[in-house]
């Protein structure tokens, strides 16, 4: 079965550079979430999209932006990168429909290292 | 963590023993979910328990939920070395299904 696909798997950037992370949800899933997981930390919710509209926003820095496109894939754009942005970034999707109580399917993550 | 605490933070047991992990949360929920993460890898969904349920089983997993105490426990019976991983609880409220994670328990099962 198709899973959530994230690219790239690994990314090394220098401080103040820009990075773009991509997420391809499971087909027919209408909701995409982005999470950030620092070393030894729990995943922190960044932002989510439902039917291509932003549905919720968490602790996402103003330097970050995201969008969901007509084909439901999503991109997380990160500018003016800082050392503290080094983390594992996860995308997840779910067939949320009109309710909650739905498990999220996670991608393998993109490991971003800022040097 | 935005969620609360998981207890214990680390657990080391021998194969065949049972492992129990606890999770507390702060806000009202629709459901609570448990996820597993192998080192540096993606999160794998294990089990979901709704707020009106008290106990749920799936294979060697048993989850309980006490909404009055805002707590949950995950029991893994007859553990195996392959169960070695980090385990996170996550709550899902009313806001389009975002998950709020606890800090996780690192489980090590020795062969």
């Amino acid at each position: 079965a198709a899973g959530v696909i994230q690219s790239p798997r690994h990314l090394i950037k220098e401080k103040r550079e820009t990075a773009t992370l991509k997420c391809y949800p499971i087909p027919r899933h209408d909701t995409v979430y982005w999470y950030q997981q620092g070393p030894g930390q729990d995943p922190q919710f960044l932002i989510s999209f439902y039917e291509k509209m932003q549905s919720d926003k968490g602790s996402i820095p103003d330097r970050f932006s995201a969008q969901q496109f007509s084909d439901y894939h999503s991109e997380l754009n990160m500018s003016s990168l800082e050392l503290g942005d080094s983390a594992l970034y996860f995308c997840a999707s779910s067939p949320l429909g009109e309710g909650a109580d739905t498990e999220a399917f996670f991608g393998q993550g993109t490991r971003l290292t800022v040097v | 963590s935005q969620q609360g605490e998981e207890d214990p933070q680390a657990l080391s047991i021998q194969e065949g023993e049972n492992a129990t992990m606890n999770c507390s949360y702060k806000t009202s929920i629709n459901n609570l979910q448990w996820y597993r993460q192998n080192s540096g890898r993606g999160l794998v969904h294990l089990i979901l328990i709704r707020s009106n349920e008290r106990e749920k089983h799936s294979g060697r997993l048993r989850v309980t939920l006490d909404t009055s105490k805002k707590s949950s426990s995950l029991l893994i019976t007859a553990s195996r070395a392959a169960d070695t991983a980090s385990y996170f609880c996550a709550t899902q409220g009313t806001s389009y299904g975002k998950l709020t994670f606890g800090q996780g328990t690192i489980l090590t099962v020795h062969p």
Side-chain angles (χ1 to χ4, degrees), chain B residues 4-109:
Chain B
E5 296 299 318
E6 286 201 38
D7 165 39
Q9 291 189 341
L11 181 60
S12 182
I13 60 175
Q14 296 294 128
E15 248 183 345
E17 294 181 338
N18 294 342
T20 300
M21 290 160 267
N22 302 297
C23 163
S24 62
Y25 57 92
K26 296 176 180 174
T27 61
S28 61
I29 63 171
N30 278 344
N31 65 69
L32 186 143
Q33 305 179 32
W34 285 88
Y35 285 81
R36 166 197 167 122
Q37 184 180 36
N38 286 75
S39 180
R41 305 290 297 276
L43 291 141
V44 176
H45 181 266
L46 295 176
I47 194 166
L48 180 155
I49 185 166
R50 292 181 171 78
S51 59
N52 61 354
E53 297 176 314
R54 292 296 167 260
E55 187 171 312
K56 200 161 184 180
H57 297 254
S58 176
R60 293 185 296 113
L61 305 179
R62 172 179 169 254
V63 169
T64 63
L65 178 65
D66 187 335
T67 53
S68 66
K69 295 181 180 178
K70 290 187 167 59
S71 68
S72 173
S73 68
L74 171 68
L75 168 67
I76 304 174
T77 59
S79 63
R80 306 165 182 167
D83 294 329
T84 295
S86 293
Y87 292 81
F88 293 91
C89 71
T91 56
Q92 191 173 45
T94 58
S95 173
Y96 285 94
K98 76 174 182 184
L99 293 168
T100 304
F101 285 86
Q103 286 196 339
T105 294
I106 301 171
L107 173 65
T108 303
V109 182

Side-chain angles (χ1 to χ4, degrees), chain A residues 35 37 42 44 56 101 104, chain B residues 2 31 37 92 95 99 102:
Chain A
Y35 291 85
Q37 186 178 29
D42 55 294
Q44 296 287 315
D56 200 357
D101 284 352
Chain B
Q2 300 172 13
N31 65 69
Q37 184 180 36
Q92 191 173 45
S95 173
L99 293 168

Side-chain angles (χ1 to χ4, degrees), chain A residues 26-100:
Chain A
I26 292 172
R28 291 181 294 281
H29 281 195
D30 52 17
T31 305
V32 167
Y33 314 84
W34 285 97
Y35 291 85
Q36 177 193 58
Q37 186 178 29
Q41 302 296 313
D42 55 294
Q44 296 287 315
F45 172 73
L46 293 178
I47 196 167
S48 62
F49 294 87
Y50 170 64
E51 283 292 342
K52 293 160 280 184
M53 299 288 289
Q54 180 181 310
S55 54
D56 200 357
K57 198 170 181 180
S59 49
I60 182 169
D62 291 341
R63 299 177 289 108
F64 294 7
S65 65
Q67 57 182 324
Q68 188 178 30
F69 295 87
S70 58
D71 64 351
Y72 290 92
H73 94 271
S74 179
E75 294 184 2
L76 178 65
N77 298 294
M78 310 159 69
S79 63
S80 302
L81 287 168
E82 302 173 356
L83 296 178
D85 296 329
S86 295
L88 201 51
Y89 290 84
F90 287 109
C91 171
S93 72
S94 71
L96 187 62
E98 296 179 359

